[in-house]
């Protein structure tokens, strides 16, 4: 009898247990606690905790409520007061070039010829027969008074071609095998803007090639294979997430790169989201994609709906197309590299098929020409309501063209560190009047334009906090010039952060999915060491990335789960 009562009591307790103390599956996969969450969401600008389910943000709020609602999350990470930003998006990059620069033999800190040759020797030990040994970083400025010859390189590498580019790209050091493959002999004439250094007695090339003469060898370096391209992308992507980037817009993608991206995603080797801007100069590629239409990835890993064109060259080398001659070269107005009709033609067809066009334009003439081409294509494509055509760099603008960006809803896609890298010489090129329309971030914002920001790595550092600092201060990392270079164009912290988050997401049609921390969006986060809202601009340079999450998955940093 007592036994039966015990059973009844047990059943009752167990039954009550099921209803009063349920153990359902966790309500969240990941809970971030004790954080300072910068949401970039106007309706809830700050929070302490974020809950994630699958690859999406489930909930944003206070620590106390998070503990109550999501105390049984599969993984809980106490961030001990660290700051969580929406995953940072870099809207203009070159992944393969970054990967290549990371994979090349690095001679940046070698002190002399012997040390450089020792590194080449080490690399030769693991090289395949005939494989090119590519390196960079020996200081052609410092070594200019005593350039080495290729004698030492020939000794360690008689068979493998060796080509070592200088730190600033003005000189290269090649061994005899590389010169031979390039057909460079005693009789080879110097090219325009290029010089082959020669032995004073014999007239034989020494292996040092200056400026454009480097191209004589460069053109014989075999193109990357698919495996090499994948390796370069993988190494670059890892470097990106280490720097807190969760998405990038790759600003000129070839069919080979596309194949590499796809294979890496399949093999789970790509931790980063990619918005691929196809090479618009590759007519076969353009034709193929205009026929098949955009590829918008439901998983947001790799989306293809954009073409890249080049309207002109760069300002430093006076290749940027200007309306009036260069202030420091009155015979020159730069070079238009894609005529207006071609930009118009591609844009017209792209709009019809739902593609975006991103055109590189640096000079005021190139920018005006691109705006004109876009305006015509837009006026003839009334069905293309949300076209988001872009101009990459939009570097030097005639004052009358500034307001046209917002009017045409054309996006100026700009790079804060370009201003601070160019400020030493940019005004010499364009003069005191035109410089007022150069790197004119605030003038563009004031007209209502969207302003995504980016690095253009590897030409500039990929550390986004260097870009944010340049946007805030318009100073170099040492704080020069005092007060900032044309400081009236500086951005506020909020504007700069928007540029690397929600505005960059807008530039890839993803602002409803990325760019802020709010329920329903992708769980992409950049966790940093300091409270960015409380830092002086210069201190932004010292921000360290602690963790990077893409789709709720930790792709960089230690988990330190409790
Ligand atoms: Zn670029």
């Amino acid at each position: 009898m007592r036994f039966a009562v015990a059973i009844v009591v047990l059943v009752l307790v167990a039954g009550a247990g099921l209803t009063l103390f349920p153990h359902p599956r966790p309500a969240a996969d990941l809970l971030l606690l004790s954080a300072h969450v910068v949401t970039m969401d106007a309706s809830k600008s700050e929070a302490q905790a974020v809950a994630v389910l699958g690859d999406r943000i489930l909930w944003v709020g206070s620590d106390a409520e998070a503990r109550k609602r999501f105390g049984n999350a599969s993984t809980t990470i106490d961030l001990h007061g660290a700051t969580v930003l929406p995953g940072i998006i870099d809207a203009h990059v070159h992944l393969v070039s970054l990967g290549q620069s990371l994979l090349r033999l690095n001679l940046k800190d070698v002190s002399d010829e012997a040390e450089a040759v020792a590194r080449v020797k080490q690399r030769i030990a693991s090289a395949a027969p005939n494989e090119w040994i590519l390196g960079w970083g020996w200081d052609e400025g410092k070594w200019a008074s005593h350039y080495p010859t290729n004698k030492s390189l020939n000794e360690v590498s008689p068979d493998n071609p060796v080509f070592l580019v200088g730190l600033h790209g003005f000189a290269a050091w090649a061994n005899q095998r590389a010169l031979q493959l390039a057909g460079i002999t005693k009789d080879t004439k110097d090219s325009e803007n290029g010089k082959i250094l020669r032995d004073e007695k014999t007239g034989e090339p020494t292996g040092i090639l200056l400026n454009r003469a480097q191209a004589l060898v460069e053109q014989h370096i075999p193109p990357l294979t698919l495996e090499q391209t994948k390796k370069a992308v993988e190494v670059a992507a890892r470097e990106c997430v280490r720097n807190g980037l969760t998405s990038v817009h790759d600003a000129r993608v070839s069919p080979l790169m596309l194949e590499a991206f796809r294979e890496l995603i399949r093999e789970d080797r790509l931790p980063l989201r990619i918005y691929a801007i196809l090479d618009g100069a590759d007519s076969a590629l353009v034709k193929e994609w205009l026929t098949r239409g955009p590829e918008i990835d439901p998983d947001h890993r790799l989306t293809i709906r954009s073409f890249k064109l080049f309207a002109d060259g760069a300002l430093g080398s006076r290749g940027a197309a200007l309306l009036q001659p260069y202030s420091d070269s009155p015979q020159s107005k730069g070079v238009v590299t894609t005529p207006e009709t071609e930009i118009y033609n591609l844009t017209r067809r792209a709009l019809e098929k739902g593609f975006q066009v991103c055109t590189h334009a640096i000079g005021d003439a190139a920018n005006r020409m691109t705006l004109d081409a876009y305006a015509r294509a837009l006026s003839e494509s009334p069905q293309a309501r949300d076209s988001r055509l872009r101009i990459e760099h939009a570097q030097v603008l005639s004052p009358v063209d500034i307001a046209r960006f917002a009017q045409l809803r054309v996006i100026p896609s700009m790079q804060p560190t370009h201003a601070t890298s160019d400020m030493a010489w940019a005004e010499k090129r364009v003069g005191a009047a035109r410089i007022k329309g150069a790197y004119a971030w605030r003038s563009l914002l004031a007209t209502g334009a969207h302003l995504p920001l980016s690095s253009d790595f590897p030409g500039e550092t990929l550390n986004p906090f260097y870009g944010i600092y340049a946007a805030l201060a318009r100073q170099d990392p040492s704080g020069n010039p005092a007060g900032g270079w044309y400081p009236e164009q500086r951005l506020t912290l909020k504007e700069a952060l928007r540029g690397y988050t929600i505005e960059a997401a807008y530039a890839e049609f993803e602002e409803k999915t990325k760019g802020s921390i709010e329920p329903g969006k992708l769980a992409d986060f950049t966790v940093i060491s300091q409270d960015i809202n409380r830092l002086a601009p210069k201190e932004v340079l010292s921000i360290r990335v602690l963790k990077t999450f893409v789709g709720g998955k930790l792709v960089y940093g230690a988990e330190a789960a409790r």
Side-chain angles (χ1 to χ4, degrees):
M1 185 62 190
R2 247 190 287 169
F3 184 63
V5 169
I7 286 175
V8 168
V9 169
L10 270 176
V11 168
L12 282 174
V13 168
L18 281 176
T19 50
L20 286 177
F21 309 105
H23 295 280
R25 73 183 192 86
D29 294 321
L30 171 68
L31 181 62
L32 303 180
L33 279 179
S34 309
H36 166 233
V37 183
V38 177
T39 65
M40 302 304 289
D41 168 9
S43 68
K44 186 182 244 174
S45 63
E46 290 197 11
Q48 297 162 305
V50 184
V52 173
L53 187 63
D55 66 351
R56 300 281 173 157
I57 297 164
L58 179 67
W59 176 92
V60 183
S62 71
D63 273 343
E65 211 188 332
R67 283 203 171 88
K68 247 184 269 162
R69 293 181 57 170
F70 306 102
N72 68 344
S74 310
T75 304
T76 297
I77 301 178
D78 185 326
L79 288 173
H80 304 288
T83 294
V84 180
L85 302 175
I88 292 178
I89 306 172
D90 191 324
H92 183 125
V93 311
H94 302 278
L95 276 176
V96 171
S97 305
L98 174 66
Q100 278 182 287
S101 73
L102 293 168
L103 291 169
R104 277 183 304 172
L105 190 59
N106 187 345
L107 305 174
K108 214 170 163 177
D109 53 347
V110 296
S111 50
D112 58 17
E113 178 179 350
E115 202 182 340
V117 172
R119 289 203 193 168
V120 171
K121 189 176 176 187
Q122 202 178 17
R123 176 61 73 96
I124 294 284
S126 60
N130 303 318
E131 185 186 334
W132 280 74
I133 308 302
L134 304 174
W136 75 286
W138 60 277
D139 196 331
E140 72 270 50
K142 269 197 205 143
W143 295 18
S145 57
H146 52 97
Y147 279 132
T149 69
N150 62 18
K151 193 166 166 284
S152 52
L153 288 178
N154 299 338
E155 275 161 22
V156 298
S157 183
D159 302 320
N160 290 75
V162 178
F163 188 66
L164 311 171
V165 179
L167 185 61
H168 310 285
F170 299 128
W173 179 20
N175 73 344
Q176 195 53 37
R177 184 80 184 113
L179 294 181
Q180 196 182 38
L181 288 170
I184 298 175
T185 67
K186 208 173 157 166
D187 305 321
T188 310
K189 300 244 172 339
D190 283 339
S191 57
E192 199 188 335
N193 302 323
K195 192 170 166 64
I196 301 166
L197 295 195
R198 298 161 203 268
D199 185 277
E200 276 177 20
K201 283 186 202 135
T202 64
E204 292 289 343
T206 66
I208 296 292
L209 306 167
L210 300 181
N211 301 313
R212 293 302 300 154
Q214 297 173 73
L216 298 172
V217 173
E218 266 163 7
Q219 60 193 354
H220 292 274
I221 299 170
L224 295 184
T225 63
L226 176 61
E227 276 315 308
Q228 288 169 327
T229 309
K230 283 169 69 177
K231 184 82 208 156
V233 172
E234 186 180 29
V235 167
R238 244 185 279 137
E239 190 67 7
C240 286
V241 296
R242 208 169 68 78
N243 279 277
L245 306 180
T246 57
S247 295
V248 297
H249 303 187
D250 199 313
R252 181 157 58 151
V253 170
S254 68
L256 185 69
M257 292 180 196
L258 216 47
E259 203 181 337
F261 297 161
R262 290 195 200 281
E263 287 200 6
L264 289 170
I265 289 170
R266 230 177 287 138
E267 293 160 13
D268 199 22
R269 286 162 62 191
L270 194 64
L272 186 73
R273 302 182 194 280
I274 298 180
Y275 183 65
I277 306 175
L278 298 169
D279 182 356
D282 180 339
S283 53
L285 186 68
V286 170
K287 198 172 162 210
E288 176 197 339
W289 280 90
L290 284 177
T291 309
R292 62 195 272 191
E295 185 179 300
I296 296 162
D297 183 359
D299 295 329
H300 307 271
R301 307 297 311 204
L302 173 64
T303 280
I304 302 143
R305 66 177 302 176
S306 186
F307 295 109
K308 172 81 180 283
L309 290 175
F310 284 82
D312 64 351
L315 193 62
S317 54
R318 299 190 188 83
L322 298 180
L323 293 163
Q324 300 301 325
Y326 276 85
S327 302
D328 59 355
S329 176
Q331 319 76 21
S332 164
K333 286 166 108 179
V335 189
V336 165
T337 51
T338 307
E340 184 176 334
T341 47
E342 264 179 55
I343 298 175
Y344 157 77
N345 279 330
L346 178 67
T347 306
R348 181 87 166 79
R349 288 185 296 156
L351 290 176
E352 207 167 286
K353 299 285 185 172
F355 282 91
Q356 177 190 56
V357 179
C358 306
T359 304
H360 160 117
I362 302 272
D364 52 8
N367 275 281
R368 178 171 296 172
M369 178 186 81
T370 305
L371 288 167
D372 289 348
Y374 282 175
R376 187 172 154 214
L378 286 166
S379 72
E380 293 169 7
S381 314
Q383 82 288 356
R385 288 249 166 85
D386 196 14
S387 51
R388 307 194 194 185
L389 299 174
R390 288 166 52 166
I391 292 188
E392 302 305 306
H393 314 307
Q395 217 165 76
V396 183
L397 301 174
S398 165
V400 296
D401 289 326
I402 287 175
R404 295 177 72 200
F405 283 82
Q407 282 157 13
L408 294 166
R409 297 194 194 163
V410 169
I411 301 170
S413 162
M414 302 181 78
Q415 297 72 35
T417 51
H418 278 177
T420 50
S421 293
D422 299 355
M423 64 191 177
W425 47 260
E427 192 164 342
K428 286 191 196 107
R429 297 282 184 281
V430 300
R434 285 183 291 190
I435 201 71
K436 299 227 156 66
Y439 317 89
W441 313 321
R442 173 147 308 288
S443 304
L444 283 157
L445 269 185
T447 63
H450 284 275
L451 189 64
L453 299 175
S454 56
S455 67
D456 202 5
F457 71 64
E460 300 280 345
T461 173
L462 76 167
N463 180 335
F465 300 103
Y466 274 66
I468 291 171
Y469 165 72
L472 299 177
R474 288 178 72 108
Q475 288 172 320
D476 68 18
S478 343
N480 293 314
W485 186 60
Y486 291 99
E488 60 276 15
Q489 295 292 347
R490 282 179 307 194
L491 298 181
T492 64
L493 177 63
K494 196 174 163 200
E495 290 161 346
L497 279 177
R498 281 180 61 86
Y500 284 97
T501 55
I502 196 77
E503 294 286 20
Y506 177 85
E508 53 165 319
F509 301 85
E510 287 273 43
E511 77 282 7
K512 292 200 174 75
T513 316
K514 304 197 286 203
S516 62
I517 299 177
E518 43 188 317
K521 284 198 167 182
L522 287 165
D524 295 356
F525 312 118
T526 303
V527 182
I528 57 175
S529 54
Q530 289 144 285
D531 178 356
I532 194 167
N533 286 319
R534 290 165 178 268
L535 300 179
K538 188 122 190 244
E539 293 169 320
V540 169
L541 292 170
S542 63
I543 288 176
R544 277 181 310 116
V545 173
L546 303 176
K547 298 178 201 298
T548 307
F549 293 87
V550 174
K553 215 176 119 194
L554 187 76
V555 293
Y556 169 73
E559 187 148 299
R562 286 184 312 183

